[in-house]
Each structure stands twice: as structure tokens, then as C-alpha cells.
Amino acid sequence: MSVPPADELPPFDPGDPLGLDDLLDAEERAIRDTVRAWATDRVLPEIAGWYERGELPGIRELARELGSLGALGMSLTGYGCAGASAVQYGLACLELEAADSGIRSLVSVQGSLAMYAIHRYGSEEQKERWLPGMAAGTTIGCFGLTEPDHGSDPAGMRTHARRDGTDWVLTGRKMWITNGSVAGVAVVWARTERDGGPGSGGVRGFLVPAGTPGFSAPEIRHKWSLRASVTSELILDEVRLPADAVLPGVTGLRGPLSCLSHARYGIVWGSMGAARASFEAALGYARTREQFGRPIGGFQLTQAKLADMAVELHKGILLAHHLGRRMDAGRLRAEQISFGKLNNVREAIGICRTARTILGANGISLEYPVMRHATNLESVLTYEGTVEMHQLVLGKALTGLDAFR
């Protein structure tokens, strides 16, 4: 087949050099544009100040607005959730993280971790009690798995739950918990004792309402990443819960790990939002910043940087699209999500760092988004599975040999 003459084709679009918009239908574009408009109006004018002060003021109002957009528990069905496709959810994550990783983290933890756990493994009573309010953003949730001494190896968790009559009593600590101090409910994973009763033994999920005696969530301060995000520790000191606080649908680590896979999928898309914002800032700067009598975008070395950044950015978006279509078809494996998370976050950090070099000293200023995105992505690189963990997941899948231990 011959290639049509250039004058018969649409003009080259620097914002979409591969024509990836052609992969989207009208509804997908509408969702993307709606989320982008909200982020542009509500987040971008304030985010530099929030980040500099290390706060996310009005988080409850933001959550309600995100609920009105249908962005919370977006890919879940029923209970007030939007029932969106995986691709639609991914596009929303990309646009939210183009504003700031902290905003996308708020949505991911709410929908892909806390709500997903309840939706997939909760009883009907638990779903009816919690999910409608969480979908509307009137109730914020958090997800307690990581501990001070156990992150990549959740099997070593020390938080435990024992039976006392029909009640459960939880003791332990969780660390680096997004939304923790503002959450109305925490999904907490704990080891349970083998007492011979139904469902005894193994890791179980528990729904811990805020205000339960013995439960507290002090906020973690002095962060240099995800500063416009609420991050907390969860402390459980003999927290007594009724029998119906446990998620009945799962026992073992496959429960929390399946939730993490869902959250990692959103990161595959979201990281490309941070990369896109940084690339666009560098491209705009290169077109207008003059040195040696002309815009720096006219120099070969700067054009090489921009070309390499564009290639990795749009390859990453294409990968996210592919994984989203596989998820919608029910064919996406956890190893494939690891592939996407490993590649896209790593490449996004590289794009941010290169963008900073184009901006020179201005690149460290909060007048531009580049350094903010770069520091945020250092957290994104670690949470929901470090580089090393995803490399080992893929290594095991490729070789059939387990190198984790």
C-alpha cells in the first residue's frame, strides 16, 4: 500500500505525534476532556502553593467534586459507581496526574484500593454501608498494608488480629498510608490466629471505621515528595471490632495483592500524565527561551532531547492503551501490569529529569511543574511495588525461576 502524499494527511500534531486520539471513541474523549478541564480549573491554579506548603487543603471538598465527576471507584459497577471501562479510568488517571501525583493518588487509593477491596471481597451489607458514600466522595477511604518494617514483603506483616468471643481485636501499625488521617474507613490487612473457627488463620482484611477506640492515624510530615497529599501512619492498639468487620470474600495475600494490581494499572497511565506535563513545559520553554540569539529549541542537542522525550512519552501512552484494552477484554495478567508500571514510571522520571535540563535553573522553580513532578515520581517509583519487585516479577515470568528468596 502506498503512503498518501503529505498534503492529503492531517497536519502533524506535536501533542499527539502518533495519532493516538484515533484509538479513542467519543465517550472516552469526553471523559478525558472533562477530567482535564476539572484539573485545570481546580488544581493547577493552586497546586504549586499546596506543594510548597506541604498540604492539601479542602481535601474533603475535592473528594466530593471528584465523586460528582464519577472518578471515585470509577471502574466499579453498582453502589453509585460509574461502571466505566478500564481505558476510561486510565485516561482519568493520566489527566489527574498531569496536574499532580497527589491528586491521582487520592483517587487511586479511594477507588482501586479501598473501594475495590470492599466491592470485590466485602459482604452485601458492607458494600451497601460504605460504597455509595465513597463513590460520592462524602466518605474517604484508606488502605493499610505497608508497615514500618515490611513494605515489599507483606508476608512478614506484624499487625495481627485475634478472636475474643465473636469480636476481633487488632493490634499493629501501618505506614505511608495515603488518605489515612482523613479517612472515614480504613481497610486494614492483618494476620489472624488459627483457632479452628470458620475462616481462621491467614491474612484477612478488616474495615475499621474512624473513631473506633484504639485506632488513630497521625499525619506524616516533612516529606519531599507527594507533598500535596495526605500521608499517615495507622496505629491499632487493641482495636475491638465486631465479627462483621472482616471482609468475608478472601483469605491470604491474594486479597491485598489483587487490589494492588488494580492500583498499579492506574499508575501505568498516571505516570504518563506527569511525563506529559513536564514534556509540554520543556517544549514550550524551548520555543521561546533565547540563547546565542535564537530559541534554544533550534539547537540540535535540545531537539534531540525533545525527540527522545516524545518517543518515550507516547510509547508509554500506547502501552497504557494496550493494557487497558486487555483489561477491558478480561485478558490482562498481573505480570503485564508489572511490565507497564516498571516501564512507564521509570521513563516518566527520565522525561522529567531531561525536561529540567532544558529549563536550566528555571527547572527547579515551582513556576514550572517539572521538579514537582520529578520528586513526586520518586514516590510513585517505590509505592505499589518497587522497580526491583517488578523486575523480579517479570524475571520469574520469563525464566520460570523464583528469585524473590
Side-chain angles (χ1 to χ4, degrees), residues 228-286:
S229 176
V230 174
T231 310
S232 309
E233 181 182 7
L234 304 184
I235 299 173
L236 302 111
D237 183 10
E238 295 286 297
V239 174
R240 182 174 293 273
L241 298 171
D244 61 5
V246 68
L247 295 173
V250 69
T251 299
L253 283 174
R254 70 181 182 90
L257 293 182
S258 68
C259 301
L260 290 176
S261 286
H262 202 263
R264 288 165 182 158
Y265 166 77
I267 291 171
V268 175
W269 285 89
S271 57
M272 290 295 98
R276 187 191 72 193
S278 298
F279 170 75
E280 289 176 348
L283 179 60
Y285 190 86

Side-chain angles (χ1 to χ4, degrees), residues 298-314:
F299 290 100
Q300 291 181 4
L301 289 177
T302 302
Q303 289 194 0
K305 290 178 181 181
L306 291 168
D308 287 347
M309 292 161 66
V311 166
E312 295 306 327
L313 169 61
H314 294 282

Side-chain angles (χ1 to χ4, degrees), residues 188-241:
V188 175
W189 299 90
R191 290 190 168 279
T192 63
E193 300 173 344
R194 297 187 180 278
D195 60 5
S200 65
V203 172
R204 304 295 302 273
F206 296 85
L207 301 183
V208 183
T212 302
F215 174 66
S216 60
E219 189 168 353
I220 297 172
R221 302 287 185 177
H222 310 300
K223 300 178 299 177
W224 284 113
S225 179
L226 289 179
R227 289 176 57 78
S229 176
V230 174
T231 310
S232 309
E233 181 182 7
L234 304 184
I235 299 173
L236 302 111
D237 183 10
E238 295 286 297
V239 174
R240 182 174 293 273
L241 298 171

Side-chain angles (χ1 to χ4, degrees), residues 2-67:
S2 61
V3 178
D7 58 3
E8 295 181 9
L9 295 171
F12 181 82
D13 181 1
D16 184 21
L18 292 180
L20 297 183
D21 260 15
D22 293 347
L23 300 176
L24 305 178
D25 62 28
E27 185 176 5
E28 289 164 345
R29 291 192 192 97
I31 289 172
R32 178 199 61 191
D33 294 347
T34 297
V35 177
R36 183 182 298 182
W38 178 85
T40 299
D41 179 61
R42 284 290 282 121
V43 179
L44 289 183
E46 305 291 342
I47 189 61
W50 296 344
Y51 187 91
E52 187 168 28
R53 294 189 297 272
E55 63 182 13
L56 187 58
I59 184 175
R60 298 184 190 281
E61 181 181 354
L62 290 172
R64 289 192 293 271
E65 292 178 22
L66 287 162

Side-chain angles (χ1 to χ4, degrees), residues 39-215:
T40 299
D41 179 61
R42 284 290 282 121
V43 179
L44 289 183
E46 305 291 342
I47 189 61
W50 296 344
Y51 187 91
E52 187 168 28
R53 294 189 297 272
E55 63 182 13
L56 187 58
I59 184 175
R60 298 184 190 281
E61 181 181 354
L62 290 172
R64 289 192 293 271
E65 292 178 22
L66 287 162
S68 296
L69 288 177
L72 302 179
M74 187 172 174
S75 59
L76 305 177
T77 56
Y79 310 99
C81 301
S85 71
V87 170
Q88 290 169 347
Y89 171 60
L91 290 165
C93 287
L94 188 151
E95 295 302 332
L96 292 170
E97 193 145 354
D100 192 77
S101 299
I103 304 300
R104 199 269 308 146
S105 292
L106 163 63
V107 169
S108 288
V109 169
Q110 177 85 343
S112 291
L113 292 178
M115 292 178 67
Y116 182 83
I118 297 169
H119 191 277
R120 181 164 181 180
Y121 299 119
S123 67
E124 187 59 34
E125 291 76 15
Q126 290 168 338
K127 296 175 188 178
E128 291 285 357
R129 177 182 179 185
W130 294 111
L131 291 179
M134 296 175 80
T138 55
T139 298
I140 296 175
C142 68
F143 186 89
L145 180 63
T146 296
E147 297 189 352
D149 298 319
H150 296 280
S152 295
D153 181 19
M157 74 172 66
R158 296 177 181 174
T159 301
H160 64 275
R162 59 179 174 83
R163 296 301 293 264
D164 184 13
T166 59
D167 290 346
W168 291 95
V169 180
L170 273 64
T171 299
R173 294 170 63 201
K174 302 293 182 179
M175 198 70 173
W176 305 115
I177 308 303
T178 298
N179 301 345
S181 60
V182 296
V185 61
V187 178
V188 175
W189 299 90
R191 290 190 168 279
T192 63
E193 300 173 344
R194 297 187 180 278
D195 60 5
S200 65
V203 172
R204 304 295 302 273
F206 296 85
L207 301 183
V208 183
T212 302
F215 174 66

Side-chain angles (χ1 to χ4, degrees), residues 47-48 51-52 97 99-102 104-105 223-229 274-275 278 345 348-353 356 363-366 368-383:
I47 189 61
Y51 187 91
E52 187 168 28
E97 193 145 354
D100 192 77
S101 299
R104 199 269 308 146
S105 292
K223 300 178 299 177
W224 284 113
S225 179
L226 289 179
R227 289 176 57 78
S229 176
S278 298
V345 182
I349 288 180
I351 289 168
C352 290
R353 290 172 178 163
R356 208 287 307 157
I364 71 169
S365 169
L366 280 175
Y368 299 93
V370 174
M371 185 61 77
R372 174 169 54 82
H373 282 305
T375 56
N376 281 339
L377 285 169
E378 292 292 344
S379 290
V380 179
L381 189 72
T382 294
Y383 69 34

